[in-house]
Amino acid sequence: MTEATKPAQQPRATKEFSPVKSADRVMAVMEALGGRQDRPTMTQLSAELGIPQSSLHGLLRTMQQRGWVETDATGSLYRIGVRALMIGSSYARADEAVLAARPVLDWLSEETGETVHYGRLLGSDIVYLAKRESRFLVRVHSSVGQRIPAHAASLGKAILATETDEWVVDHLRWPLVALTQHTITDRAALLQDLAASRDRGYALESQESDIGLGCVAVSIPGPATVRDAISFAVPVGRLEEGRLAELADLLLEARAMLTGRRAPAPPGRSPEFLGNLNRLEGEGA
């Protein structure tokens, strides 16, 4: 048979990717420990992850030796190790979007004295990538790397409002979890809330993620694969009538700066805003 008469060679079938079992198990352990505040035992982790204790024991010992996992004094309770913090914080330090937002986050913090969060939608959760602390005595307890269900956070709702209802329904995990008695878990009610956010141009949250906390957020346009937002998180005791709208105006200014539609605004707000801020600062002193 000549080259010309040989049958055409069929393309090789693409093999479905199979993860390396040991690496996959290490990641499962990291995600399990990183997503909880209690310290589970090896028996609990084995049951939750479906990893035999004989295999899990060696993984945990290796991870502990390298600083990815820590134990209590008894050596029987596990938690995430400091190495994870060191590596994880480098993500935000190297992320271009977060780096670009730093001056704007500083500006928002200086203008208001309130807690500012920069978050990203990962799966159906929001992850804090940057934070500016409040200068008031009564402040928000949160941390970079913290995850919150998107439907319960103004950051998440601001991002979800940029998508279609069909996308939102497909993207979230149902049934929705309730973090407080105010969390919206009904599908129709959530879609109605997102529609209101689209009309306003910003999202609101009132004690849906934490009791006593109110938030306002706007989405930040970016690459198709990145969905980010910026928010103010404020104790409800400081959210007098009209203050949320003023904070929202600042966030809309911040978005305009980040998208290059305007230069950073000079310091200075309306007399009413400054009057409220000065009084609040006096109460927080």
Side-chain angles (χ1 to χ4, degrees), residues 97-281:
V98 178
L99 290 173
R102 282 181 178 176
V104 176
L105 299 180
D106 293 338
W107 174 73
L108 291 170
S109 177
E110 287 296 321
E111 285 285 281
T112 65
E114 300 292 359
T115 300
V116 184
H117 287 130
Y118 186 102
R120 178 165 298 167
L121 184 69
L122 292 179
S124 59
D125 294 334
I126 282 292
V127 178
Y128 294 146
L129 297 183
K131 177 186 178 182
R132 297 296 182 270
E133 289 282 3
S134 170
R135 61 173 173 258
F136 298 111
L137 292 178
V138 180
R139 59 183 61 182
V140 177
H141 297 288
S142 60
S143 59
V144 172
Q146 182 177 342
R147 298 174 73 103
I148 298 178
H151 69 278
S154 63
L155 286 165
K157 293 199 285 185
I159 295 170
L160 295 176
T162 67
E163 306 291 346
T164 65
D165 286 351
E166 293 75 16
W167 189 95
V168 171
V169 171
D170 290 340
H171 200 76
L172 295 180
R173 289 193 299 264
W174 304 90
L176 299 178
V177 63
L179 300 185
T180 75
Q181 64 266 40
H182 303 289
T183 307
I184 299 175
T185 58
D186 177 75
R187 180 176 302 188
L190 177 63
L191 296 179
Q192 184 177 9
D193 185 89
L194 296 179
S197 298
R198 293 186 193 104
D199 291 341
R200 284 191 303 261
Y202 55 88
L204 297 174
E205 170 205 336
S206 179
Q207 305 189 83
E208 294 173 48
S209 60
D210 283 291
I211 294 297
L213 182 67
C215 302
V216 54
V218 299
S219 62
I220 304 299
T225 57
V226 175
R227 294 176 172 87
D228 294 351
I230 298 178
S231 75
F232 283 115
V234 185
V236 292
R238 291 204 294 270
L239 289 178
E240 294 183 342
E241 183 178 358
R243 183 161 171 80
L244 270 176
E246 290 182 307
L247 293 174
D249 286 342
L250 281 175
L251 290 174
L252 293 171
E253 287 187 53
R255 180 166 65 186
M257 297 175 202
L258 288 172
T259 54
R261 290 185 285 115
R262 61 164 297 167
R269 303 255 57 82
S270 69
E272 294 82 6
F273 186 91
L274 290 175
N276 288 338
L277 180 60
N278 290 335
R279 181 182 57 76
L280 290 168
E281 286 180 328

Side-chain angles (χ1 to χ4, degrees), residues 85-98:
L85 173 63
M86 295 167 61
I87 299 299
S89 61
S90 67
Y91 176 89
R93 292 197 303 268
D95 188 86
E96 293 182 358
V98 178

